[in-house]
Amino acid sequence: MFVLRIELAYFCTVSQSISSDKLFMRFGTQMKKRPRGRPRKFNPETALTNAISVFLTKGFSGASLDDLAGAMEMNRPSLYRAFGDKEALYREALKQFVGQMRGMMDQLVVAETDLKTAIQNLYNASLDVYFAETPAQSCLLFCTAPVEALVHPEVREDMNIAIGELDAVLEAKFKHAQDDGQLADHFDPAAMAKMAQGILHSLAIRARAGAPKSTLREMSSHAVSFMCT
């Protein structure tokens, strides 16, 4: 009887040891849970690029969270954790779009010393962006933000900041050209900057409306010849 109790005790001790090893193996190595939420290779820039495409195609109001989640390859809870609600996501997408536009301005406008070439660079590069897809999706800033500006004050503020920054870059360009003798003294650089940006707005709207790229390129060329005399 005494021997039986010893054997039983030994069996229970060994069984507990084996169970503990298996438990460690299960939770320590083999059964690690996959992190929930955003995928491991989540790339915010790529996700926002896909969101921009949806917003350009369907607009802010027409784009559903399911549309956005599908295009961004995220589930809705992950999308919300990464970017917030739809308005916050739209603003992040707009921020990225404007940032890309700012980079284009620095490279093709600010760095170019010839005024006429710089402004034509702006229009040509913008048209390339507007017509990157078929049909032309045009410009997120000029074609979707104005629609939301009245009901979303923060979007209106974002839009005004972007327009103001573009005005400032163009005004500095016209002022520098004036100092270099490329622009007559009677021209007002601030007014010229607003007019140059106004042409950009028109190109974006006309591209959205279906005007051919060749027609808009010709229009921009005439505008440059008129402004840069």
Side-chain angles (χ1 to χ4, degrees):
M1 188 69 177
F2 179 72
V3 174
L4 179 60
R5 287 179 178 175
I6 292 176
E7 290 178 348
L8 182 59
Y10 176 78
F11 175 77
C12 291
T13 302
V14 173
S15 298
Q16 288 175 357
S17 177
I18 293 173
S19 298
S20 297
D21 290 343
K22 287 184 176 179
L23 191 65
F24 176 77
M25 289 291 290
R26 182 175 181 181
F27 291 98
T29 56
Q30 293 179 345
M31 296 298 290
K32 283 185 178 179
K33 290 185 178 180
R34 184 176 180 179
R36 299 179 65 183
R38 288 177 287 176
R40 293 178 181 177
K41 294 184 179 180
F42 172 72
N43 186 318
E45 184 177 352
T46 300
L48 287 173
T49 297
N50 293 335
I52 288 171
S53 181
V54 174
F55 283 129
L56 277 170
T57 302
K58 298 191 173 185
F60 175 82
S61 299
S64 70
L65 287 175
D66 286 337
D67 293 331
L68 292 162
M72 299 167 74
E73 298 183 350
M74 303 173 68
N75 58 46
R76 288 177 60 168
S78 297
L79 189 153
Y80 187 83
R81 282 193 294 270
F83 299 106
D85 61 16
K86 189 170 77 166
E87 181 179 346
L89 172 59
Y90 175 81
R91 293 183 67 206
E92 283 297 316
L94 188 62
K95 179 181 178 181
Q96 178 165 302
F97 185 89
V98 171
Q100 293 168 345
M101 185 168 67
R102 188 181 299 115
M104 176 191 73
M105 291 283 293
D106 289 342
Q107 181 179 1
L108 299 179
V109 178
V110 176
E112 174 56 54
T113 57
D114 181 72
L115 177 63
K116 188 172 183 178
T117 301
I119 303 303
Q120 191 65 65
N121 283 346
L122 170 63
Y123 295 150
N124 289 345
S126 297
L127 287 173
D128 287 342
V129 172
Y130 299 165
F131 285 89
E133 303 290 338
T134 304
Q137 292 183 331
S138 197
C139 179
L140 187 70
L141 176 63
F142 300 143
C143 292
T144 67
V147 180
E148 309 306 324
L150 292 180
V151 292
H152 297 283
E154 291 182 334
V155 172
R156 181 173 66 246
E157 182 180 358
D158 293 341
M159 182 177 66
N160 281 323
I161 289 173
I163 290 173
E165 288 178 350
L166 183 54
D167 275 344
V169 171
L170 290 171
E171 181 179 350
K173 194 66 189 177
F174 281 109
K175 180 67 171 64
H176 185 72
Q178 199 170 53
D179 293 340
D180 283 350
Q182 298 182 51
L183 187 69
D185 290 340
H186 66 272
F187 284 110
D188 178 6
M192 295 296 294
K194 290 178 174 59
M195 183 167 66
Q197 186 175 176
I199 298 297
L200 193 61
H201 299 171
S202 183
L203 294 174
I205 293 171
R206 290 170 186 272
R208 185 85 165 180
K213 185 178 182 179
S214 58
T215 299
L216 298 182
R217 192 177 293 276
E218 183 179 2
M219 170 186 163
S220 70
S221 179
H222 283 296
V224 169
S225 296
F226 177 77
M227 287 186 291
C228 304
T229 55

